[in-house]
Amino acid sequence: MIKKNLKLKKERKHLMKSTFLMMFICSIILCGNPEAAEAPSEIPGSTSDSLTKLHSIDSHDVTVEENLTDSYGDTYSDVLLFNADVSARAVYSLNGQYKRMTATMVSGEKTVSGQELIVGIFADSEPVYSITDYTSQLGPQTIDIDLTGVQELEIQTRQVVLSSVLNPAWIALTNISMEKNDGSAGETKNYERLLDNAVVDSQKMESLERMVVDSYGNIHNGGIRFSEAAIGQDLQGYFLINLNQKYTQLTGEIVTDSGTPSDAVMNAEIYLDDVLAFEQTDITKTVESVPFVLDVQGVKVVKFVISGYEDINAYIVDDKLLF
């Protein structure tokens, strides 16, 4: 019994020495390689995001789909799908955190053949990508956009010809990569739109969230439409907006669309606190656009007035109120 106990003690002692030796060797290896001893415990973060994973601050008729089959029968995964029967839109707050967006655009298999669609992408309300005659026959399209410093990204789709008859139309973005910048966020958003403020009074005016295509085929990010702006000079289309002395500058453009008669003529006026600050006469559909830049520091109310031909379609687009 005593011999057996002595043998057991020797085995335990030998095991302890072996364990100690292994620990000693490991410590030497780690000490000789400081980088191994101080290796990060977390895997570095990804340098890109998928737009489908970002939260939209505003959207209409847009969904995220796991899979989609396009008009050519090819299948895609992780898809941002736009129902373009009439119009669809999605808005994202980027806060200057991304520098590039790449994606593939396809049409859904249920899109009516020959249906013409418009796709517009806007960075801080400025158009950075557009196609005004997209059909399912065109196949996949590559999108590559510079997002450096961009605070807000908006994607819109719609039919070229808006009508009460809804033809199935689907636009999908897939393989979407939002490449992050070097980690430094850009400046905070320094502007608002006119309709972010209260409309005090209006006549023959409506707001538009869908894209506007002007008489030259240029796209614009929504805006304000004057429908049948006036009958002669007696009746006018107008709207008043309370700026509440919050802004320093107002910029934008006045445009017409292709539906405006060729002989239609209109006049535009902008008043700041009842003082005429801008006037443009003899605007026709052959005028590509009428830009305006106004100092609005200390201004309480801005008023837009459009007068002229009965059937003219006039728009205030690309408006920005800078803080």
Side-chain angles (χ1 to χ4, degrees):
M1 179 65 72
I2 293 174
K3 289 183 178 179
K4 287 184 178 179
N5 288 339
L6 288 174
K7 185 178 180 180
L8 182 60
K9 286 181 179 180
K10 287 181 180 180
E11 289 176 352
R12 287 178 177 174
K13 189 175 181 179
H14 179 72
L15 179 61
M16 290 176 66
K17 286 183 178 179
S18 299
T19 303
F20 176 77
L21 182 61
M22 291 298 297
M23 292 176 65
F24 179 72
I25 293 172
C26 288
S27 66
I28 291 176
I29 293 173
L30 289 176
C31 290
N33 186 0
E35 292 182 0
E38 299 177 4
S41 59
E42 295 182 3
I43 298 174
S46 172
T47 59
S48 65
D49 291 327
S50 173
L51 192 61
T52 58
K53 303 300 188 292
L54 300 184
H55 174 70
S56 63
I57 59 176
D58 188 17
S59 66
H60 176 69
D61 281 345
V62 180
T63 58
V64 175
E65 303 293 334
E66 291 186 4
N67 297 287
L68 175 127
T69 302
D70 72 1
S71 54
Y72 279 74
D74 296 323
T75 301
Y76 299 87
S77 59
D78 194 24
V79 172
L80 195 62
L81 184 62
F82 293 78
N83 182 352
D85 285 356
V86 178
S87 63
R89 63 194 292 262
V91 185
Y92 300 87
S93 180
L94 303 186
N95 296 321
Q97 296 177 357
Y98 300 91
K99 62 182 180 181
R100 185 184 180 196
M101 170 185 167
T102 58
T104 302
M105 182 176 71
V106 299
S107 61
E109 62 178 338
K110 294 182 180 179
T111 299
V112 172
S113 178
Q115 178 82 342
E116 290 191 326
L117 304 171
I118 303 172
V119 179
I121 302 179
F122 303 87
D124 290 332
S125 290
E126 299 294 333
V128 290
Y129 175 88
S130 66
I131 183 167
T132 57
D133 57 355
Y134 183 71
T135 66
S136 58
Q137 291 93 332
L138 289 180
Q141 303 290 303
T142 299
I143 296 173
D144 192 338
I145 297 171
D146 182 0
L147 294 178
T148 304
V150 172
Q151 298 297 313
E152 192 170 274
L153 180 72
E154 182 166 353
I155 304 170
Q156 295 191 44
T157 66
R158 50 159 275 202
Q159 295 184 23
V160 171
V161 179
L162 298 174
S163 69
S164 57
V165 179
L166 301 181
N167 296 314
W170 303 90
I171 290 290
L173 296 185
T174 186
N175 303 325
I176 312 171
S177 175
M178 303 288 290
E179 185 178 352
K180 296 178 182 178
N181 62 20
D182 57 8
S184 57
E187 298 179 359
T188 58
K189 186 178 174 181
N190 66 342
Y191 72 93
E192 289 183 337
R193 304 292 299 272
L194 282 167
L195 292 179
D196 289 332
N197 299 276
V199 178
V200 180
D201 190 18
S202 66
Q203 174 177 281
K204 296 182 179 293
M205 160 263 185
E206 62 176 321
S207 63
L208 290 175
E209 292 185 345
R210 63 174 181 263
M211 285 178 291
V212 173
V213 182
D214 66 24
S215 57
Y216 277 72
N218 303 313
I219 69 167
H220 305 274
N221 186 16
I224 300 168
R225 177 177 183 258
F226 292 91
S227 59
E228 297 183 357
I231 301 175
Q233 297 295 329
D234 297 328
L235 296 177
Q236 299 174 322
Y238 65 82
F239 67 90
L240 289 78
I241 289 182
N242 179 19
L243 302 185
N244 204 26
Q245 301 178 330
K246 295 188 298 182
Y247 307 101
T248 61
Q249 189 180 75
L250 168 62
T251 63
E253 297 180 35
I254 302 169
V255 299
T256 63
D257 65 15
S258 59
T260 297
S262 299
D263 58 348
V265 180
M266 71 173 179
N267 304 318
E269 298 171 337
I270 305 175
Y271 295 84
L272 304 177
D273 289 336
D274 295 326
V275 177
L276 181 63
F278 177 88
E279 182 178 21
Q280 180 69 48
T281 60
D282 301 328
I283 303 171
T284 67
K285 68 183 301 181
T286 61
V287 176
E288 187 167 1
S289 73
V290 179
F292 56 86
V293 179
L294 298 174
D295 182 350
V296 294
Q297 294 186 73
V299 173
K300 177 71 174 176
V301 176
V302 60
K303 180 180 181 180
F304 288 79
V305 180
I306 300 292
S307 60
Y309 196 89
E310 178 179 358
D311 294 322
I312 201 165
N313 291 322
Y315 302 85
I316 308 297
V317 296
D318 303 335
D319 56 277
K320 283 187 178 179
L321 286 161
L322 303 181
F323 289 107

